[in-house]
Amino acid sequence: MASSSGAADRAEDNGRLIAGRYRLLDRIGRGGMGVVWRATDTLLARQVAVKELRLDASLSEEEAAQLRERTLREARTIAQIGHPHVIVVHDVVVQDEQPFIVIELIEGGSLADRIAAHGPLGPAEAARLCRDLLGALRAAHEQGVLHRDLKPGNVLLETGTGRVVLTDFGIAQVAGSTTLTEYGSFVGSPEYTAPERMSGGAAGPESDLWSLGVLLCAAVSGESPFRRDSLGGILHAVLMEEVRPPVEAGPLLPLVRGLLDRDPLRRIDAAEAERLLRAYARTGVMPAVRPDARVRRWFSPTRVDDGPERVRGPGGRHDAGTPRHPSGKLVAAATAAAVAAAGISAAALLMRKGDDPGKDGPSPSVSTVAPSATPGPSTGGPTEPLPVPAGYRMVDDPAGFSLAVPDNYRRKLLASRIFYMSPGDVIRLGVREQKPVRGGPAAEQRRAHAEGPDGNPGYRDGKVTETVYHGRPAARWEFTWDGSSPAEGARHTVDLCWEEGGRMYDLWVSAPVGRLREAERQFAMALDTFVAGKTR
């Protein structure tokens, strides 16, 4: 949205050379925190877009420095996503203490432009767009990035190819009629913002999925179901009123209702949403949501904003106190989401005695398709298994549990600890089952943390965080250590401990610090597919 200073901007800045390489041509967008320019990369002779962060003059020097650093840090993180439906960040530069983010130039308008010019999308086209955006969100979430402002204006449609591109990850918010982007306050578009964020709770991937559900409604009907004449009306609609999907969303209703569940603990996750969309693309009919589908809380988002959803470190503790519903009643779901967002992003307990592999144990029963058995009530496991992606296989372990592991991992047994290890035993997934202890998972993990230096050379940065796993109280312990030998080098271990079916389980991963991201993905898959006490 242009301002009265637009002409001055163009006269002063057109032709300006940034970092000796990027020549600004014309302004193509403006938001509350910056300006977007069409530019030429003079080194590679290509057209790019350049986002310039322009700081409010009222900010203190310290606040301005923090915002610059936050912007650059987030831009560098997004540059690592590397997904075809996420905007490509080419470069991050600073000139005259002002950050500039250089991104690919998408020739084509936004989804908002498309709806304004040609009307809403049909269900099939909207479903395809939704599936592309799901892939983009999952890739971002794996890098610790929450979008926080998913709306039609931030979805670009490339002319000629139809490519869907998700942009504006908080780098330079594009102002809309109800967008709030002030530093240190709420960030996002209220019509598209999840209720747990509205009520001051912590946000995780599930909050972006709510926004995706609202965007899907807008794509098929032309507007958000929460659009009202005032900001107060929008807040009331998001937090209080009955959620009424538009009639145009009828063919996609199971997905829409699954994404727009106000309780983030009941909201479906990306895997379930993708399952529904795949079925719809294949058959033209969307199946019902699985009764037990829940958000898989393995992800611990990296927080980059200092607004009301700020948290302290990986523990995810909310600084602003317990959020309350406008009626005065506690918003239990938002509180649970704040705890759960601390979650399970880094994996497991390497045990007090280290994680040296032992001898090969009994060979497990292996299948390339998830087992179809339905767990009994005591296990609480899924009634329909998640699809296992290429490169993984389901194993029915002789100890009675099942989970998905990478194809090339092999089983080893050491005392009561079962391992699935990568070639060379570099990355180690472990499982232990035992009787519950007094005080539950949190007490067990705190004891492990206290004894950590005894069996883990160079034990450091240890911490225990209470969380939830599939609705059950759980505790996560993580630490860095020097490895079993000098040749191994520094390693990081993360463990999740929970009680289920009258037993206590630990599921953990240990990996070199340089391969932790890879290990976390494998750990997440193990957690998502783990079934305890499986009957063979």
Side-chain angles (χ1 to χ4, degrees):
M1 183 168 61
S3 70
S4 59
S5 63
D9 286 341
R10 288 191 293 274
E12 177 184 352
D13 294 325
N14 284 15
R16 183 162 49 130
L17 191 65
I18 302 301
R21 175 175 177 179
Y22 304 104
R23 189 168 301 282
L24 306 185
L25 300 177
D26 56 283
R27 196 186 71 208
I28 57 177
R30 185 181 182 91
M33 292 170 61
V35 178
V36 185
W37 300 89
R38 182 188 299 270
T40 297
D41 180 344
T42 60
L43 181 63
L44 298 180
R46 65 178 176 181
Q47 296 285 290
V48 296
V50 174
K51 294 189 175 186
E52 175 185 6
L53 179 68
R54 293 193 171 180
L55 303 178
D56 191 319
S58 65
L59 295 179
S60 69
E61 184 175 340
E62 180 182 2
E63 289 173 331
Q66 289 175 348
L67 185 54
R68 282 193 292 266
E69 176 57 29
R70 186 188 75 181
T71 300
L72 293 173
R73 183 170 65 247
E74 187 167 4
R76 295 186 185 107
T77 302
I78 295 166
Q80 303 302 313
I81 295 176
H83 191 275
H85 297 295
V86 172
I87 195 77
V88 175
V89 177
H90 294 309
D91 201 358
V92 180
V93 298
V94 178
Q95 180 167 305
D96 300 327
E97 298 186 350
Q98 290 292 103
F100 294 82
I101 296 90
V102 184
I103 64 175
E104 66 175 322
L105 180 65
I106 303 296
E107 297 290 357
S110 68
L111 175 61
D113 297 331
R114 161 66 172 79
I115 293 172
H118 304 289
L121 309 182
E125 187 178 4
R128 181 187 68 83
L129 178 140
C130 186
R131 188 170 178 181
D132 290 345
L133 291 176
L134 268 173
L137 289 174
R138 292 190 77 173
H141 293 163
E142 287 177 0
Q143 298 296 326
V145 178
L146 300 179
H147 191 279
R148 299 173 298 149
D149 197 20
L150 184 61
K151 61 182 180 181
N154 288 340
V155 177
L156 303 181
L157 307 176
E158 190 171 47
T159 301
T161 66
R163 176 183 167 217
V164 176
V165 182
L166 183 57
T167 186
D168 284 308
F169 285 78
I171 297 174
Q173 298 287 344
V174 178
S177 59
T178 57
T179 299
L180 306 176
T181 56
E182 293 84 8
Y183 175 75
S185 64
F186 180 84
V187 177
S189 303
E191 290 178 46
Y192 293 87
T193 300
E196 62 268 18
R197 281 193 61 205
M198 286 288 199
S199 59
E206 61 275 12
S207 300
D208 277 347
L209 294 177
W210 167 282
S211 301
L212 182 63
V214 182
L215 182 142
L216 183 57
C217 291
V220 297
S221 71
E223 66 178 21
S224 157
F226 304 108
R227 178 163 295 179
R228 300 294 187 271
D229 293 335
S230 66
L231 179 58
I234 293 172
L235 298 177
H236 188 270
V238 172
L239 288 170
M240 301 285 291
E241 294 179 11
E242 179 185 355
V243 178
R244 295 182 178 179
V247 294
E248 295 88 349
L252 309 175
L253 201 56
L255 174 63
V256 171
R257 290 200 178 280
L259 293 172
L260 296 185
D261 194 312
R262 278 200 179 94
D263 184 348
L265 292 174
R266 292 201 307 260
R267 199 172 301 152
I268 64 172
D269 64 1
E272 175 67 0
E274 287 182 351
R275 184 185 75 87
L276 298 177
L277 287 166
R278 282 196 301 268
Y280 181 74
R282 186 175 63 252
T283 67
V285 177
M286 184 164 286
V289 171
R290 294 187 327 228
D292 66 326
R294 299 289 187 273
V295 171
R296 301 315 196 235
R297 301 187 181 282
W298 59 270
F299 168 77
S300 178
T302 300
R303 305 294 178 164
V304 294
D305 61 316
D306 296 308
E309 60 188 285
R310 182 179 60 198
V311 299
R312 292 193 292 268
R317 299 299 187 189
H318 179 51
D319 286 344
T322 304
R324 291 182 178 270
H325 194 282
S327 67
K329 296 181 179 179
L330 288 172
V331 183
T335 305
V339 175
I344 309 164
S345 87
L349 155 101
L350 187 31
M351 312 291 295
R352 297 25 101 211
K353 301 179 181 178
D355 71 339
D356 291 338
K359 63 181 180 179
D360 291 343
S363 298
S365 170
V366 178
S367 62
T368 57
V369 180
S372 60
T374 302
S378 64
T379 69
T383 58
E384 180 181 332
L386 287 173
V388 178
Y392 287 82
R393 74 188 193 281
M394 285 297 300
V395 296
D396 294 341
D397 194 273
F401 61 84
S402 63
L403 78 170
V405 300
D407 285 335
N408 61 351
Y409 276 37
R410 61 193 179 93
R411 185 183 193 270
K412 286 193 173 184
L413 182 66
L414 177 62
S416 61
R417 292 172 290 161
I418 298 166
F419 292 89
Y420 285 89
M421 300 189 179
S422 68
D425 298 344
V426 177
I427 298 177
R428 312 193 265 261
L429 284 166
V431 181
R432 186 181 69 157
E433 177 186 354
Q434 63 176 331
K435 294 180 179 179
V437 301
R438 178 174 295 181
E444 172 67 7
Q445 298 290 55
R446 291 190 181 100
R447 183 183 67 82
H449 169 50
E451 298 176 358
D454 296 340
N456 302 284
Y459 181 89
R460 58 192 179 275
D461 300 328
K463 63 170 134 305
V464 173
T465 305
E466 294 185 50
T467 182
V468 295
Y469 171 59
H470 288 182
R472 300 179 181 89
R476 185 186 64 154
W477 172 39
E478 65 177 301
F479 60 91
T480 303
W481 60 302
D482 291 339
S484 299
S485 67
E488 274 203 327
R491 299 179 66 85
H492 196 79
T493 297
V494 196
D495 170 275
L496 186 74
C497 180
W498 74 97
E499 291 182 14
E500 181 173 345
R503 303 292 290 171
M504 177 175 283
Y505 292 89
D506 282 290
L507 180 59
W508 71 90
V509 72
S510 173
V513 292
R515 296 183 65 177
L516 183 58
R517 185 173 296 162
E518 173 189 354
E520 286 188 0
R521 287 196 297 268
Q522 295 166 4
F523 182 62
M525 179 59 65
L527 280 171
D528 280 352
T529 56
F530 187 86
V531 178
K534 184 180 184 299
T535 302
R536 297 185 294 113

